[in-house]
Amino acid sequence: MMEEARAEQLPSDAQDGPDHPGLAGPSRVCLITLGGESFAIQLAHVREVFKLELVTPVPGMPASLVGVANLRGTIVPIADLRPSLEVSMVSTPKYVVVVQQGVRQMGILIDGVPEIRTVYPDALLTDTTSGTARRPFLSGLLNIENRLSVILEVSGVLASVESETMQPSGAS
């Protein structure tokens, strides 16, 4: 478990390619919670987790980008995916998980300190396509110890937020 006062460095071996675990064998995932719901991110795409202290708003950014944070001299855009994922907005996220694919990176607000788990091919549920047309960054479901976790594809999350930033002001 991570101490609240320090950031936890996680492996930064993120590669371009499919985001959700290939599940041809064991795969490592980072389990996060947003609005009380569980999501899984392939660990290779998780760079770091830190306690949210200060986010600087940036005028004119889409609603999903709440601002930027300075992480040891690197400016990281911070996204709130709760509206896009249609999950509860009741609690205030306390942490940020920094995801990376290639040179692109972004912080995602999360409810609590994530878990790192090893998942096996039998954890991937077979009907993983329902509901992903509206949210292309969701790629399936994992059943981990009788808890369902939706798989977030980092490339899709980054593309979704980037496409929002490219829309003219006032467009939705």
Side-chain angles (χ1 to χ4, degrees):
M1 206 61 137
M2 164 182 106
E3 293 178 23
E4 288 189 12
R6 67 177 177 85
E8 180 176 339
Q9 278 292 112
L10 295 171
S12 61
D13 57 348
Q15 303 286 325
D16 286 325
D19 285 310
H20 88 54
L23 296 185
S27 185
R28 302 278 287 163
V29 296
C30 180
L31 296 177
I32 61 171
T33 55
L34 292 167
E37 295 190 32
S38 180
F39 296 88
I41 302 171
Q42 188 177 17
L43 188 58
H45 293 284
V46 177
R47 180 174 162 239
E48 189 164 339
V49 175
F50 65 93
K51 185 172 175 151
L52 181 63
E53 292 179 13
L54 177 67
V55 174
T56 304
V58 178
M61 285 286 105
S64 63
L65 281 177
V66 295
V68 296
N70 183 339
L71 184 60
R72 292 181 308 282
T74 300
I75 302 302
V76 177
I78 306 295
D80 186 353
L81 299 182
R82 293 175 302 167
S84 301
L85 295 171
E86 299 173 2
V87 298
S88 173
M89 303 266 299
V90 175
S91 64
T92 302
K94 296 180 175 107
Y95 295 91
V96 174
V97 60
V98 178
V99 295
Q100 181 173 2
Q101 182 168 29
V103 297
R104 301 180 320 175
Q105 69 178 4
M106 176 177 57
I108 299 171
L109 295 174
I110 60 175
D111 295 339
V113 177
E115 294 178 59
I116 306 300
R117 301 296 292 265
T118 299
V119 295
Y120 297 90
D122 61 349
L124 183 62
L125 299 180
T126 54
D127 181 17
T128 61
T129 57
S130 62
T132 60
R134 286 193 341 248
R135 296 174 295 229
F137 46 85
L138 302 180
S139 68
L141 289 173
L142 289 174
N143 182 355
I144 302 171
E145 295 179 359
N146 295 319
R147 293 184 303 169
L148 293 181
S149 294
V150 180
I151 302 170
L152 286 178
E153 288 197 28
V154 171
S155 63
V157 170
L158 291 169
S160 175
V161 172
E162 288 170 358
S163 72
E164 284 185 48
T165 63
M166 303 308 282
Q167 291 180 3
S169 295
S172 51

